[in-house]
């Protein structure tokens, strides 16, 4: 590895203002939103074009220097943590929406485009982009692809992988490949699905074709308050059992409610132990019929307060409170860890009770905010990093939450990724054979492990033997090099 030689080459590619090497500049990129992990890169590059990204990756491959692609840095798993003495490729300037095709219902965008901006651009055509992470006003499409982001409405519409049709990608050796197509139908291996959620281990997406959906004719939203968090979780199972498929189902506990109220004054019931938000959307006749049925189910679930927003402004305020919950918790705790486990919906009530018990046992406050419809838990484990031993206790609780999710038949991550934070738990979820297959796929595409190394796998240096070789996918005809 020769970082010095690489920097000389990068100086010929980038002007000084777009090649950052000073300590002050590099400090801004030392971590992502999971600030417990920090590392300092040798340099940060700010490409203006896809061609500059390709050349940067090619030079990293030539000099065997690792690189990490970074969007807005909102990753909560350490997934965009720099590699010490490696290169950070900051993609924020690749923020163009290249094309909106209203007839085909697609958007072609660069990786630095913010999630919400896609829907804003598509709105004049009566279309929108469905995945809606809580950070959608600042997170980028490139980051959404890396971690297969979901959001509040993933219950009905799925994750990022369900809305990406095609990508132009630069692999770790600097070559360009085309994955997928603009067609809704495809043949052969789902390489787009392979790349989405790969946490940057295969390369960098440069151009992404997204599927757009027609804006729903009608939204109907209900907010129900419960005396216990478990009752709110059990209500989710009742809604699902009724056969209704909401656009979104979200739960917040009292700590999250208090934080959101302090931040945005959403008008939530202040004494609720658990708050359930259910939203229906679609064609007017269907939504109205389902809403009548939904209200019967909600009333039967035993809430002490039920509210239905009367205006669009009231509905949006409910969602503003929910989407602000993560950042709002910073008002009541100087530090917190956001976990991201998944349990089957039938286990929600019991899982929430177990999380609360873990917090009591370790004297740690936990605010719960999560996508109830698909069992994606987001407990915010609060602590004060200035207090000796507080971080360690918080990490113990975080580990107990993850192991609880595995024990109950779930997963260690729903949308935040494994990154640095949860890679030690991967062997508890997958067998040795499973992990070896994953590693083989990774090494077949990036033999030198230059693209975001050290993430996801507990031992990223373990290279299982390859029978196929580094260009197996190309020889098999499942990818085309440009």
């Amino acid at each position: 590895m020769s970082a010095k030689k690489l920097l000389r080459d990068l100086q010929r590619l980038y002007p000084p203002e777009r090649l950052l090497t000073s300590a002050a500049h590099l400090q801004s990129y030392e971590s992502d939103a999971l600030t417990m992990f920090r590392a300092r890169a040798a340099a940060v590059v700010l490409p203006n074009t896809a061609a500059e990204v390709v050349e940067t990756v090619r030079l990293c491959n030539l000099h065997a220097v690792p690189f990490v692609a970074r969007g807005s840095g909102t990753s909560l798993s350490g997934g965009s943590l720099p590699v010490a003495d490696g290169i950070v490729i900051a993609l924020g300037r690749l923020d163009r929406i290249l094309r909106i095709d209203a007839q085909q219902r697609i958007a072609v965008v660069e990786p630095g485009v913010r999630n919400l901006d896609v829907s804003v651009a598509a709105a004049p055509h009566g279309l929108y982009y469905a995945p809606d992470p809580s950070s959608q006003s600042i997170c980028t499409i490139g980051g959404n692809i890396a971690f297969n982001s979901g959001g509040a409405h993933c219950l009905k519409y799925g994750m990022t992988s369900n809305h990406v049709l095609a990508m132009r990608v630069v692999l770790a050796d600097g070559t360009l490949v085309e994955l997928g197509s603009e067609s809704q139908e495809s043949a052969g291996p789902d390489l787009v699905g392979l790349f989405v959620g790969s946490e940057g281990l295969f390369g960098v997406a440069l151009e992404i074709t997204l599927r757009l959906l027609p804006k729903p004719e009608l939204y109907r939203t209900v907010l129900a308050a419960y005396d216990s968090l478990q009752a709110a979780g059990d209500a989710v199972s009742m809604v699902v059992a009724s056969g209704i498929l909401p656009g979104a189902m979200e739960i917040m506990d009292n700590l999250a409610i208090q934080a959101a109220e302090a931040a945005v004054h959403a008008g939530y019931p202040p004494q609720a132990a658990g708050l359930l938000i259910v939203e229906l959307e679609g064609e007017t006749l269907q939504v109205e019929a389902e809403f009548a049925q939904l209200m019967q189910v909600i009333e039967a679930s035993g809430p002490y307060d039920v509210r239905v927003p009367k205006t669009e402004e009231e509905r949006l305020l409910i969602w503003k409170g929910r989407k602000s919950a993560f950042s709002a918790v910073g008002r009541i705790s100087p530090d917190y860890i956001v976990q991201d486990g998944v349990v089957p919906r039938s286990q929600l009530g019991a899982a929430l009770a177990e999380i609360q018990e873990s917090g009591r046992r370790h004297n740690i406050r936990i605010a719960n905010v999560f996508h109830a419809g698909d069992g994606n838990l987001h407990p915010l484990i609060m602590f004060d990093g200035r207090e000796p031993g507080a971080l360690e206790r918080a990490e113990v609780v975080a580990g107990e939450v993850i192991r609880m999710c595995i024990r109950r038949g779930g997963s260690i991550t729903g949308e935040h990724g494994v990154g640095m934070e949860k890679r030690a738990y991967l062997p508890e979820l997958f067998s040795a054979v499973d992990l070896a297959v994953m590693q083989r796929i990774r090494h077949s595409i990036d033999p030198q492990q230059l693209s975001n190394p050290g993430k996801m796998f507990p031992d990223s240096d373990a290279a299982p033997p390859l029978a196929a070789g580094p260009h197996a996918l190309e020889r098999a005809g499942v990818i085309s090099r440009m």
Side-chain angles (χ1 to χ4, degrees):
M1 183 172 77
S2 177
K4 290 184 178 179
K5 292 181 179 179
L6 171 62
L7 287 176
R8 287 197 293 268
D9 285 346
L10 291 176
Q11 287 170 352
R12 290 190 285 269
L13 180 62
Y14 293 95
E17 65 272 16
R18 292 197 290 118
L19 176 60
L20 311 180
T21 57
S22 71
H25 283 130
L26 296 178
Q27 186 175 16
S28 300
Y29 294 86
E30 283 186 351
S31 72
D32 51 24
L34 185 66
T35 56
M36 293 184 301
F37 295 98
R38 293 184 178 273
R40 180 162 295 187
V44 175
V45 298
L46 307 174
N48 283 334
T49 66
E52 288 181 337
V53 177
V54 173
E55 182 63 13
T56 301
V57 172
R58 189 191 68 80
L59 290 171
C60 287
N61 179 70
L62 177 66
H63 295 289
V65 174
F67 63 88
V68 176
R70 178 187 170 106
S72 297
T74 57
S75 168
L76 288 163
S77 66
S80 54
L81 181 76
V83 178
D85 298 322
I87 301 298
V88 172
I89 304 174
L91 299 170
R93 297 185 178 211
L94 273 69
D95 59 354
R96 295 181 301 158
I97 296 177
L98 302 173
R99 178 162 57 98
I100 298 284
D101 188 325
Q103 185 173 3
Q104 292 193 67
R105 295 179 179 172
I106 61 172
V108 182
V109 306
E110 292 183 318
V113 170
R114 291 179 297 180
N115 176 291
L116 187 59
D117 288 347
V118 180
S119 290
V120 171
H125 306 284
L127 303 170
Y128 78 111
Y129 181 59
D132 60 338
S134 296
S135 58
Q136 68 178 144
S137 62
I138 54 173
C139 66
T140 63
I141 295 298
N144 292 173
I145 285 173
F147 300 105
N148 194 22
S149 301
H153 291 80
C154 63
L155 170 63
K156 185 172 183 178
Y157 297 108
M159 312 291 282
T160 297
S161 59
N162 301 108
H163 299 271
V164 178
L165 298 175
M167 289 186 287
R168 177 176 294 172
V169 173
V170 58
L171 299 180
D173 63 358
T175 59
L176 283 169
V177 297
E178 298 277 1
L179 308 179
S181 72
E182 293 185 0
S183 170
Q184 300 282 347
E185 303 293 333
S186 61
D190 179 14
L191 295 178
V192 169
L194 177 66
F195 194 93
V196 176
S198 61
E199 303 196 19
L201 300 185
F202 297 153
V204 184
L206 302 173
E207 188 175 298
I208 305 104
T209 302
L210 303 172
R211 182 166 66 103
L212 302 177
L213 298 179
K215 295 177 70 174
E217 290 181 6
L218 179 68
Y219 294 94
R220 293 300 303 271
T221 308
V222 58
L223 183 151
Y226 296 85
D227 289 321
S228 76
L229 193 57
Q230 183 161 355
D234 291 340
V236 172
S237 297
M238 294 177 65
V239 172
V240 173
S242 74
I244 299 172
L245 180 59
M249 280 198 292
E250 300 286 301
I251 286 181
M252 301 169 65
D253 72 0
N254 189 259
L255 275 175
I257 292 167
Q258 298 298 333
E261 277 297 293
V264 302
H265 309 292
Y268 295 153
Q271 303 304 319
L275 192 66
L276 174 63
I277 304 169
V278 185
E279 183 164 272
L280 304 178
E281 58 185 61
E283 296 180 355
T284 300
L285 289 177
Q286 178 184 358
V287 170
E288 292 289 15
E290 289 185 343
F291 192 71
Q293 181 186 358
L294 172 64
M295 292 302 292
Q296 293 177 358
V297 175
I298 293 294
E299 291 291 350
S301 67
Y304 74 83
D305 189 8
V306 178
R307 302 179 184 181
V308 177
K310 296 180 175 62
T311 66
E312 179 67 3
E313 289 73 21
E314 290 180 1
R315 184 185 76 85
L316 292 176
L317 187 58
I318 287 175
W319 284 112
K320 184 177 181 180
R322 165 59 188 89
K323 288 180 177 289
S324 300
F326 279 17
S327 57
V329 166
R331 290 173 172 263
I332 59 177
S333 177
D335 302 288
Y336 58 87
I337 299 171
V338 182
Q339 262 303 358
D340 172 49
V342 181
V343 296
R345 284 190 296 257
S346 61
Q347 299 283 320
L348 269 178
L352 290 171
E354 193 167 338
I355 290 172
Q356 289 182 314
E357 172 56 29
S358 179
R360 283 192 292 268
R361 190 167 58 251
H362 295 283
N363 194 28
I364 290 281
R365 293 191 302 165
I366 302 175
N368 285 282
V369 182
F370 57 94
H371 307 315
D374 62 345
N376 189 184
L377 308 169
H378 289 328
L380 292 93
I381 302 163
M382 296 182 281
F383 66 98
D384 186 343
R386 298 166 296 185
E387 177 188 332
L391 172 59
E392 289 73 18
R393 286 189 292 116
E395 289 180 324
V396 169
V397 172
E400 289 184 359
V401 170
I402 287 298
R403 289 193 168 98
M404 178 272 293
C405 291
I406 296 173
R407 188 174 67 251
R408 293 187 177 276
S411 171
I412 65 175
T413 180
E415 58 179 337
H416 294 175
V418 176
M420 295 290 295
E421 178 198 22
K422 295 190 284 283
R423 61 181 189 160
Y425 299 98
L426 211 62
E428 299 184 34
L429 181 64
F430 295 106
S431 71
V433 173
D434 293 332
L435 291 174
V437 170
M438 295 179 196
Q439 288 270 40
R440 287 188 179 190
I441 293 172
R442 194 278 171 87
H443 282 270
S444 70
I445 297 172
D446 180 11
Q448 296 192 79
Q449 296 188 87
L450 298 180
S451 187
N452 206 16
K455 312 303 186 340
M456 189 182 295
F457 296 109
D459 182 4
S460 62
D461 294 326
L466 288 172
H471 300 296
L473 294 178
E474 181 184 7
R475 289 201 300 269
V478 294
I479 62 174
S480 59
R481 294 179 180 258
M482 299 180 64

